[in-house]
């Protein structure tokens, strides 16, 4: 018996956000929308604060310096 294994990229290459969600874009072209409600610091942030992010670890995580918030991309996929 064989098992099919699909190896998806866990590295993000872009990010956008609205007042109620962020969308993470991956190297393989897939996208994932996440409710900001899951992250109180992001939920309570202004649109301008949400725009001030950077990738950490070549896309393994997302960091908002002003908000002191880090999100590990792999955890969003679980």
């Amino acid at each position: 018996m064989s098992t099919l294994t699909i190896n998806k990229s866990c590295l993000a290459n872009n990010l956008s956000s609205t007042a109620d969600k962020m969308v993470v874009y991956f190297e393989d072209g897939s996208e994932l929308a996440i409710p900001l409600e899951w992250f109180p610091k992001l939920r309570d942030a202004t649109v301008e604060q949400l725009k001030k992010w950077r990738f950490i670890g070549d896309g393994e995580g997302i960091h908002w310096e002003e908000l002191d918030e880090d999100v590990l991309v792999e955890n969003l996929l679980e």
Side-chain angles (χ1 to χ4, degrees):
M1 173 185 265
S2 64
T3 303
L4 175 62
T5 302
I6 299 174
N7 294 320
K8 289 282 196 179
S9 171
C10 291
L11 297 179
N13 66 3
N14 204 356
L15 176 79
S16 66
S17 55
T18 65
D20 62 342
K21 70 180 175 184
M22 70 174 158
V23 180
V24 180
Y25 301 90
F26 294 93
E27 290 180 331
D28 64 2
S30 61
E31 304 171 5
L32 179 64
I34 308 293
L36 293 180
E37 187 66 32
W38 292 1
F39 304 94
K41 288 183 182 180
L42 300 180
R43 177 196 63 212
D44 298 338
T46 67
V47 173
E48 288 304 310
Q49 288 174 314
L50 291 174
K51 290 180 182 179
K52 297 177 185 174
W53 60 271
R54 68 178 176 88
F55 283 123
I56 49 179
D58 294 324
E60 293 177 359
I62 307 161
H63 175 71
W64 290 264
E65 179 79 29
E66 190 172 322
L67 301 172
D68 191 30
E69 181 74 2
D70 295 308
V71 173
L72 185 59
V73 173
E74 184 177 18
N75 288 347
L76 299 174
L77 299 172
E78 294 180 346

